Amino acid sequence: MSTQEEQARHYMDGFRRSDHQAILACLTDDVVWRIHGARTTRGKAEFDAEIGAPGFEGSPDLSIERLISEVDSYMVAVP
């Protein structure tokens, strides 16, 4: 398993447990989260505020369907 795949799995596990610290530990300070059709967050503080927003409740049931990695980035497809 590659480092990118391990990191993606840790990240998804953090979301499953609603563990903000575990999620943020997987991100760089310059993280950009594009929520297509809605907004874009930049940086850990904005990212943390987004996952702590009132509409984000509970622990999501996430599973990795496919993981694609390239040099310094990766994409995770969830069903």
Coordinates of all heavy atoms in Angstrom, one line a residue:
M1 N 0.8 -1.2 0.0 CA 0.0 0.0 0.0 C 0.9 1.2 0.0 O 1.8 1.3 0.8 CB -0.9 0.0 1.2 CG -1.9 1.1 1.3 SD -3.0 1.1 2.8 CE -3.5 -0.5 2.9
S2 N 0.6 2.2 -0.9 CA 1.4 3.4 -1.0 C 1.1 4.3 0.2 O 0.1 4.2 0.9 CB 1.1 4.1 -2.3 OG -0.1 4.7 -2.3
T3 N 2.0 5.3 0.4 CA 1.8 6.3 1.4 C 0.6 7.1 1.1 O -0.2 7.4 2.1 CB 3.1 7.2 1.5 OG1 4.2 6.5 1.7 CG2 2.9 8.3 2.5
Q4 N 0.3 7.4 -0.1 CA -0.9 8.2 -0.5 C -2.2 7.4 -0.1 O -3.1 8.0 0.4 CB -0.9 8.6 -2.0 CG 0.1 9.6 -2.4 CD 1.4 9.0 -2.8 OE1 1.6 7.8 -2.6 NE2 2.2 9.8 -3.4
E5 N -2.1 6.1 -0.4 CA -3.3 5.3 -0.1 C -3.5 5.2 1.4 O -4.6 5.3 1.9 CB -3.1 3.9 -0.7 CG -4.4 3.0 -0.6 CD -4.3 1.7 -1.3 OE1 -3.3 1.5 -2.0 OE2 -5.2 0.9 -1.1
E6 N -2.4 5.0 2.1 CA -2.6 5.0 3.6 C -3.1 6.3 4.1 O -4.0 6.3 5.0 CB -1.2 4.7 4.2 CG -0.7 3.3 4.1 CD 0.7 3.1 4.7 OE1 1.0 3.8 5.7 OE2 1.5 2.4 4.1
Q7 N -2.6 7.4 3.6 CA -3.1 8.7 4.0 C -4.6 8.9 3.7 O -5.4 9.4 4.6 CB -2.3 9.8 3.4 CG -2.5 11.2 3.9 CD -1.8 11.4 5.3 OE1 -1.5 10.4 6.0 NE2 -1.7 12.6 5.6
A8 N -5.0 8.5 2.6 CA -6.4 8.6 2.2 C -7.3 7.7 3.1 O -8.4 8.1 3.5 CB -6.6 8.1 0.7
R9 N -6.8 6.5 3.4 CA -7.6 5.7 4.3 C -7.7 6.2 5.8 O -8.7 6.2 6.4 CB -7.0 4.3 4.4 CG -7.2 3.6 3.0 CD -6.7 2.1 3.0 NE -6.8 1.5 1.7 CZ -7.9 1.2 1.1 NH1 -9.1 1.3 1.7 NH2 -7.9 0.7 -0.2
H10 N -6.6 6.9 6.3 CA -6.6 7.5 7.6 C -7.6 8.7 7.5 O -8.4 8.9 8.5 CB -5.2 8.0 8.0 CG -4.3 7.0 8.4 ND1 -4.5 6.1 9.4 CD2 -3.1 6.6 7.8 CE1 -3.5 5.3 9.5 NE2 -2.6 5.6 8.6
Y11 N -7.6 9.4 6.5 CA -8.5 10.6 6.3 C -10.0 10.1 6.3 O -10.8 10.7 7.1 CB -8.2 11.3 5.0 CG -9.1 12.4 4.6 CD1 -8.9 13.7 5.0 CD2 -10.1 12.2 3.6 CE1 -9.7 14.7 4.6 CE2 -10.9 13.2 3.3 CZ -10.7 14.5 3.8 OH -11.5 15.5 3.4
M12 N -10.3 9.1 5.5 CA -11.7 8.6 5.5 C -12.1 8.0 6.8 O -13.2 8.2 7.3 CB -11.8 7.5 4.4 CG -11.5 8.1 3.0 SD -12.6 9.4 2.5 CE -14.0 8.4 2.0
D13 N -11.1 7.4 7.5 CA -11.4 6.8 8.8 C -11.7 7.9 9.8 O -12.6 7.8 10.7 CB -10.3 5.9 9.3 CG -10.6 5.2 10.6 OD1 -11.7 4.6 10.7 OD2 -9.8 5.3 11.6
G14 N -11.0 9.0 9.7 CA -11.3 10.2 10.6 C -12.7 10.7 10.4 O -13.4 11.1 11.3
F15 N -13.1 10.8 9.1 CA -14.5 11.2 8.8 C -15.5 10.2 9.4 O -16.6 10.6 9.9 CB -14.7 11.4 7.3 CG -14.6 12.8 6.9 CD1 -13.4 13.2 6.3 CD2 -15.6 13.7 7.0 CE1 -13.2 14.5 5.8 CE2 -15.4 15.0 6.6 CZ -14.3 15.4 6.0
R16 N -15.3 8.9 9.2 CA -16.2 7.9 9.8 C -16.4 8.1 11.3 O -17.4 7.8 11.8 CB -15.6 6.5 9.5 CG -15.8 6.1 8.1 CD -15.4 4.6 7.9 NE -15.0 4.4 6.5 CZ -13.8 4.4 6.0 NH1 -12.8 4.4 6.9 NH2 -13.6 4.2 4.8
R17 N -15.3 8.5 12.0 CA -15.4 8.7 13.4 C -15.7 10.1 13.8 O -15.8 10.4 15.0 CB -14.1 8.3 14.1 CG -13.8 6.8 13.9 CD -12.5 6.4 14.5 NE -11.3 6.9 13.7 CZ -10.4 7.7 14.1 NH1 -10.3 8.0 15.4 NH2 -9.4 8.1 13.3
S18 N -15.9 11.0 12.9 CA -16.1 12.5 13.1 C -15.0 13.0 14.0 O -15.2 13.8 14.9 CB -17.4 12.7 13.8 OG -18.5 12.4 12.9
D19 N -13.7 12.6 13.7 CA -12.5 13.0 14.5 C -11.8 14.1 13.8 O -11.0 13.9 12.9 CB -11.6 11.8 14.7 CG -10.4 12.0 15.5 OD1 -10.0 13.2 15.7 OD2 -9.9 11.0 16.0
H20 N -12.1 15.4 14.2 CA -11.5 16.5 13.5 C -10.0 16.5 13.5 O -9.4 16.8 12.5 CB -12.0 17.8 14.1 CG -13.4 18.2 13.8 ND1 -13.8 19.5 13.6 CD2 -14.5 17.4 13.6 CE1 -15.1 19.5 13.3 NE2 -15.5 18.2 13.3
Q21 N -9.4 16.2 14.6 CA -8.0 16.2 14.7 C -7.3 15.1 13.8 O -6.3 15.4 13.1 CB -7.5 15.9 16.2 CG -7.9 17.1 17.1 CD -7.4 18.4 16.6 OE1 -6.3 18.6 16.2 NE2 -8.3 19.4 16.6
A22 N -7.9 14.0 13.7 CA -7.4 12.9 12.7 C -7.5 13.4 11.3 O -6.6 13.2 10.5 CB -8.1 11.6 12.9
I23 N -8.7 14.1 11.0 CA -8.9 14.6 9.6 C -7.8 15.6 9.3 O -7.1 15.6 8.3 CB -10.3 15.1 9.5 CG1 -11.3 14.1 9.6 CG2 -10.4 15.9 8.1 CD1 -12.8 14.6 9.8
L24 N -7.7 16.6 10.2 CA -6.8 17.7 9.9 C -5.3 17.3 9.9 O -4.5 17.9 9.2 CB -7.0 18.8 11.0 CG -8.4 19.5 11.0 CD1 -8.5 20.5 12.1 CD2 -8.6 20.2 9.6
A25 N -5.0 16.2 10.6 CA -3.6 15.7 10.6 C -3.2 15.2 9.2 O -2.0 15.1 8.9 CB -3.4 14.7 11.7
C26 N -4.2 14.9 8.4 CA -3.9 14.3 7.1 C -3.7 15.4 6.0 O -3.4 15.1 4.9 CB -5.1 13.4 6.6 SG -5.2 11.9 7.6
L27 N -4.0 16.7 6.4 CA -4.0 17.8 5.5 C -2.8 18.7 5.6 O -2.2 18.8 6.7 CB -5.2 18.6 5.7 CG -6.6 17.8 5.6 CD1 -7.7 18.8 6.0 CD2 -6.7 17.2 4.3
T28 N -2.4 19.3 4.5 CA -1.4 20.4 4.6 C -2.0 21.7 4.9 O -3.2 21.9 4.8 CB -0.6 20.5 3.3 OG1 -1.5 20.8 2.2 CG2 0.1 19.2 2.9
D29 N -1.2 22.7 5.3 CA -1.8 24.0 5.7 C -2.5 24.7 4.5 O -3.3 25.5 4.7 CB -0.7 24.9 6.3 CG -0.3 24.4 7.6 OD1 -1.1 23.8 8.4 OD2 0.9 24.7 8.0
D30 N -2.0 24.3 3.3 CA -2.6 25.0 2.1 C -3.7 24.2 1.4 O -3.9 24.3 0.2 CB -1.5 25.4 1.1 CG -0.7 24.1 0.6 OD1 -0.9 23.0 1.2 OD2 0.1 24.3 -0.4
V31 N -4.3 23.3 2.2 CA -5.4 22.5 1.6 C -6.5 23.3 0.9 O -6.8 24.4 1.4 CB -6.0 21.5 2.7 CG1 -6.7 22.4 3.8 CG2 -7.0 20.6 2.1
V32 N -7.0 22.8 -0.2 CA -8.1 23.5 -0.9 C -9.2 22.4 -1.1 O -8.9 21.3 -1.6 CB -7.7 24.0 -2.3 CG1 -8.9 24.6 -3.0 CG2 -6.6 25.1 -2.1
W33 N -10.4 22.7 -0.6 CA -11.5 21.7 -0.8 C -12.5 22.4 -1.7 O -13.2 23.4 -1.3 CB -12.1 21.4 0.6 CG -13.1 20.4 0.6 CD1 -13.5 19.5 -0.4 CD2 -14.0 20.0 1.7 NE1 -14.5 18.7 0.0 CE2 -14.8 19.0 1.3 CE3 -14.2 20.6 3.0 CZ2 -15.8 18.4 2.1 CZ3 -15.1 20.0 3.8 CH2 -15.9 19.0 3.4
R34 N -12.7 21.9 -2.9 CA -13.7 22.4 -3.8 C -14.9 21.6 -3.7 O -15.0 20.4 -4.0 CB -13.2 22.4 -5.2 CG -12.1 23.4 -5.5 CD -11.6 23.4 -6.9 NE -10.5 24.4 -7.1 CZ -9.2 24.1 -6.9 NH1 -8.9 22.8 -6.6 NH2 -8.3 25.0 -7.0
I35 N -16.0 22.2 -3.2 CA -17.3 21.6 -3.0 C -18.0 22.0 -4.2 O -18.6 23.1 -4.3 CB -17.9 22.0 -1.7 CG1 -17.0 21.7 -0.5 CG2 -19.3 21.2 -1.5 CD1 -17.4 22.4 0.8
H36 N -18.0 21.2 -5.3 CA -18.5 21.6 -6.6 C -19.9 22.0 -6.6 O -20.8 21.4 -6.0 CB -18.3 20.5 -7.6 CG -16.8 20.2 -7.9 ND1 -16.1 21.0 -8.6 CD2 -16.0 19.2 -7.4 CE1 -14.8 20.5 -8.7 NE2 -14.8 19.4 -7.9
G37 N -20.2 23.2 -7.2 CA -21.5 23.8 -7.2 C -21.9 24.5 -6.0 O -23.0 25.1 -5.9
A38 N -21.0 24.6 -5.0 CA -21.3 25.3 -3.7 C -20.3 26.3 -3.3 O -20.6 27.5 -3.4 CB -21.5 24.3 -2.6
R39 N -19.1 25.9 -3.0 CA -18.0 26.8 -2.5 C -16.7 26.1 -2.5 O -16.6 25.0 -2.7 CB -18.4 27.3 -1.1 CG -18.4 26.3 -0.1 CD -19.1 26.7 1.2 NE -19.6 25.6 2.0 CZ -20.7 24.9 1.7 NH1 -21.5 25.2 0.7 NH2 -21.1 24.0 2.5
T40 N -15.7 26.9 -2.2 CA -14.3 26.4 -2.0 C -13.8 26.9 -0.7 O -13.9 28.1 -0.4 CB -13.4 26.9 -3.2 OG1 -13.9 26.5 -4.4 CG2 -12.0 26.5 -3.0
T41 N -13.2 26.0 0.1 CA -12.5 26.4 1.3 C -11.0 26.3 1.1 O -10.5 25.4 0.4 CB -12.9 25.5 2.5 OG1 -12.5 24.1 2.2 CG2 -14.4 25.5 2.7
R42 N -10.3 27.1 1.8 CA -8.8 27.2 1.7 C -8.2 27.2 3.1 O -8.6 28.0 3.9 CB -8.4 28.4 0.9 CG -8.7 28.3 -0.6 CD -8.3 29.6 -1.3 NE -8.4 29.4 -2.8 CZ -9.6 29.4 -3.4 NH1 -10.7 29.7 -2.8 NH2 -9.6 29.2 -4.7
G43 N -7.3 26.3 3.3 CA -6.6 26.3 4.6 C -7.3 25.4 5.6 O -8.5 25.1 5.5
K44 N -6.5 25.0 6.6 CA -7.1 24.1 7.6 C -8.2 24.7 8.4 O -9.1 24.0 8.8 CB -6.0 23.6 8.6 CG -5.1 22.5 8.0 CD -4.1 22.0 9.1 CE -3.3 20.9 8.5 NZ -2.4 20.3 9.6
A45 N -8.1 26.0 8.8 CA -9.1 26.6 9.6 C -10.5 26.6 8.9 O -11.5 26.3 9.5 CB -8.7 28.1 9.9
E46 N -10.5 27.0 7.6 CA -11.7 27.0 6.8 C -12.2 25.6 6.7 O -13.4 25.3 6.8 CB -11.5 27.6 5.5 CG -11.5 29.1 5.5 CD -11.4 29.7 4.1 OE1 -11.9 29.1 3.1 OE2 -11.0 30.9 4.0
F47 N -11.3 24.6 6.4 CA -11.7 23.2 6.3 C -12.4 22.7 7.6 O -13.4 22.1 7.6 CB -10.5 22.4 6.0 CG -10.8 21.0 5.4 CD1 -10.7 20.7 4.1 CD2 -11.1 20.0 6.3 CE1 -11.0 19.5 3.6 CE2 -11.4 18.7 5.9 CZ -11.3 18.5 4.5
D48 N -11.7 23.0 8.7 CA -12.2 22.6 10.0 C -13.6 23.2 10.3 O -14.5 22.5 10.8 CB -11.3 22.9 11.1 CG -11.6 22.3 12.4 OD1 -12.2 21.2 12.4 OD2 -11.3 22.8 13.5
A49 N -13.8 24.5 9.9 CA -15.1 25.1 10.1 C -16.2 24.5 9.3 O -17.3 24.3 9.7 CB -15.0 26.6 9.8
E50 N -15.8 24.1 8.1 CA -16.8 23.4 7.2 C -17.2 22.1 7.7 O -18.4 21.8 7.7 CB -16.1 23.2 5.8 CG -17.1 22.8 4.7 CD -18.2 23.8 4.4 OE1 -17.9 25.0 4.4 OE2 -19.3 23.4 4.2
I51 N -16.3 21.3 8.2 CA -16.7 20.0 8.8 C -17.3 20.1 10.1 O -17.9 19.1 10.6 CB -15.5 18.9 8.8 CG1 -14.4 19.4 9.7 CG2 -15.0 18.6 7.4 CD1 -13.2 18.4 9.8
G52 N -17.2 21.3 10.7 CA -17.9 21.5 12.0 C -19.2 22.3 11.9 O -19.8 22.7 12.9
A53 N -19.6 22.6 10.6 CA -20.8 23.4 10.4 C -22.0 22.7 10.9 O -22.1 21.4 10.9 CB -20.9 23.7 8.9
P54 N -23.1 23.4 11.2 CA -24.3 22.8 11.7 C -24.9 21.7 10.8 O -25.5 20.8 11.3 CB -25.2 24.0 11.9 CG -24.3 25.2 12.0 CD -23.1 24.9 11.2
G55 N -24.8 21.9 9.5 CA -25.3 20.9 8.6 C -24.6 19.6 8.5 O -25.0 18.6 7.9
F56 N -23.4 19.6 9.1 CA -22.5 18.4 9.1 C -22.6 17.7 10.4 O -21.9 18.0 11.3 CB -21.1 18.8 8.8 CG -20.2 17.7 8.4 CD1 -19.9 17.5 7.0 CD2 -19.6 16.9 9.3 CE1 -19.1 16.4 6.6 CE2 -18.8 15.8 8.9 CZ -18.5 15.6 7.6
E57 N -23.6 16.8 10.5 CA -23.8 16.1 11.7 C -23.6 14.6 11.6 O -23.7 14.0 10.5 CB -25.3 16.3 12.1 CG -25.7 17.7 12.4 CD -27.1 17.9 12.7 OE1 -27.8 16.9 12.8 OE2 -27.5 19.1 12.9
G58 N -23.2 14.0 12.7 CA -23.1 12.6 12.8 C -21.8 12.1 12.1 O -20.9 12.9 11.7
S59 N -21.6 10.8 12.0 CA -20.5 10.2 11.4 C -20.9 9.6 10.1 O -21.7 8.6 10.1 CB -19.9 9.2 12.3 OG -19.4 9.8 13.5
P60 N -20.4 10.0 9.0 CA -20.9 9.5 7.7 C -20.4 8.0 7.5 O -19.4 7.6 8.0 CB -20.3 10.4 6.6 CG -19.1 11.1 7.3 CD -19.4 11.1 8.8
D61 N -21.2 7.3 6.7 CA -20.9 5.9 6.4 C -20.2 6.0 5.0 O -20.8 6.1 4.0 CB -22.2 5.1 6.3 CG -21.9 3.6 5.9 OD1 -20.7 3.2 6.1 OD2 -22.8 3.0 5.5
L62 N -18.9 6.0 5.0 CA -18.1 6.2 3.8 C -17.3 4.9 3.5 O -16.7 4.3 4.4 CB -17.0 7.3 4.0 CG -17.6 8.7 4.3 CD1 -16.5 9.6 4.6 CD2 -18.4 9.2 3.1
S63 N -17.2 4.6 2.2 CA -16.4 3.5 1.8 C -15.6 3.9 0.6 O -16.2 4.6 -0.2 CB -17.2 2.2 1.6 OG -18.2 2.4 0.6
I64 N -14.4 3.4 0.4 CA -13.6 3.8 -0.8 C -14.0 2.8 -1.9 O -13.8 1.6 -1.7 CB -12.1 3.8 -0.4 CG1 -11.8 4.8 0.6 CG2 -11.3 4.0 -1.7 CD1 -10.4 4.8 1.1
E65 N -14.5 3.4 -3.0 CA -14.8 2.6 -4.1 C -13.5 2.5 -5.0 O -13.2 1.4 -5.6 CB -15.9 3.2 -4.9 CG -16.4 2.4 -6.1 CD -17.6 3.0 -6.8 OE1 -18.6 3.1 -6.2 OE2 -17.4 3.5 -7.9
R66 N -12.8 3.6 -5.2 CA -11.7 3.6 -6.0 C -10.7 4.7 -5.5 O -11.2 5.8 -5.1 CB -12.1 3.9 -7.5 CG -10.9 3.9 -8.4 CD -11.4 4.1 -9.9 NE -12.6 4.9 -9.9 CZ -13.5 4.9 -10.9 NH1 -13.3 4.1 -11.9 NH2 -14.5 5.7 -10.9
L67 N -9.4 4.5 -5.6 CA -8.5 5.5 -5.2 C -7.4 5.6 -6.3 O -6.9 4.6 -6.8 CB -7.7 5.0 -3.9 CG -6.9 6.1 -3.3 CD1 -7.1 6.1 -1.8 CD2 -5.4 5.9 -3.6
I68 N -7.3 6.9 -6.7 CA -6.3 7.2 -7.8 C -5.3 8.1 -7.3 O -5.6 9.2 -6.7 CB -7.1 7.8 -9.0 CG1 -8.2 6.9 -9.5 CG2 -6.1 8.2 -10.1 CD1 -9.1 7.5 -10.5
S69 N -4.0 7.8 -7.4 CA -3.0 8.6 -6.9 C -2.0 9.0 -8.0 O -1.7 8.2 -8.9 CB -2.2 8.0 -5.8 OG -1.5 6.9 -6.2
E70 N -1.5 10.2 -7.9 CA -0.5 10.7 -8.8 C 0.5 11.5 -8.0 O 0.1 12.3 -7.1 CB -1.1 11.7 -9.9 CG -2.0 11.0 -10.9 CD -1.2 10.1 -11.9 OE1 0.0 10.4 -12.1 OE2 -1.7 9.1 -12.3
V71 N 1.7 11.4 -8.3 CA 2.8 12.1 -7.6 C 2.5 12.7 -6.2 O 2.8 12.2 -5.2 CB 3.5 13.1 -8.5 CG1 4.7 13.7 -7.8 CG2 3.9 12.4 -9.8
D72 N 1.8 13.9 -6.2 CA 1.6 14.6 -5.0 C 0.1 14.8 -4.7 O -0.3 15.7 -3.9 CB 2.4 15.9 -4.9 CG 1.9 16.8 -6.0 OD1 1.2 16.4 -6.9 OD2 2.4 18.0 -6.0
S73 N -0.8 14.1 -5.4 CA -2.2 14.3 -5.1 C -3.0 13.0 -5.3 O -2.4 12.0 -5.9 CB -2.8 15.4 -6.0 OG -2.7 15.0 -7.4
Y74 N -4.2 12.9 -4.8 CA -5.0 11.7 -5.0 C -6.4 12.1 -5.0 O -6.8 13.1 -4.5 CB -4.6 10.6 -3.9 CG -4.7 11.1 -2.5 CD1 -5.9 11.0 -1.8 CD2 -3.5 11.5 -1.8 CE1 -5.9 11.4 -0.5 CE2 -3.6 11.9 -0.5 CZ -4.8 11.9 0.2 OH -4.8 12.3 1.5
M75 N -7.2 11.2 -5.5 CA -8.7 11.3 -5.6 C -9.3 10.1 -5.0 O -8.8 9.0 -5.3 CB -9.1 11.5 -7.0 CG -10.6 11.8 -7.0 SD -11.4 11.4 -8.6 CE -11.3 9.6 -8.7
V76 N -10.3 10.2 -4.2 CA -11.0 9.1 -3.6 C -12.4 9.1 -4.1 O -13.1 10.1 -4.0 CB -11.0 9.1 -2.1 CG1 -11.8 8.0 -1.5 CG2 -9.6 9.1 -1.6
A77 N -12.9 8.1 -4.7 CA -14.3 8.0 -5.2 C -15.0 7.2 -4.1 O -14.6 6.1 -3.8 CB -14.4 7.3 -6.5
V78 N -16.1 7.7 -3.7 CA -17.0 7.1 -2.7 C -18.4 6.9 -3.3 O -18.8 7.8 -4.1 CB -17.1 7.8 -1.4 CG1 -15.8 7.8 -0.7 CG2 -17.6 9.2 -1.6
P79 N -19.0 5.8 -3.1 CA -20.3 5.5 -3.7 C -21.4 6.4 -3.1 O -21.3 7.0 -2.1 CB -20.6 4.1 -3.4 CG -19.6 3.6 -2.4 CD -18.6 4.6 -2.3

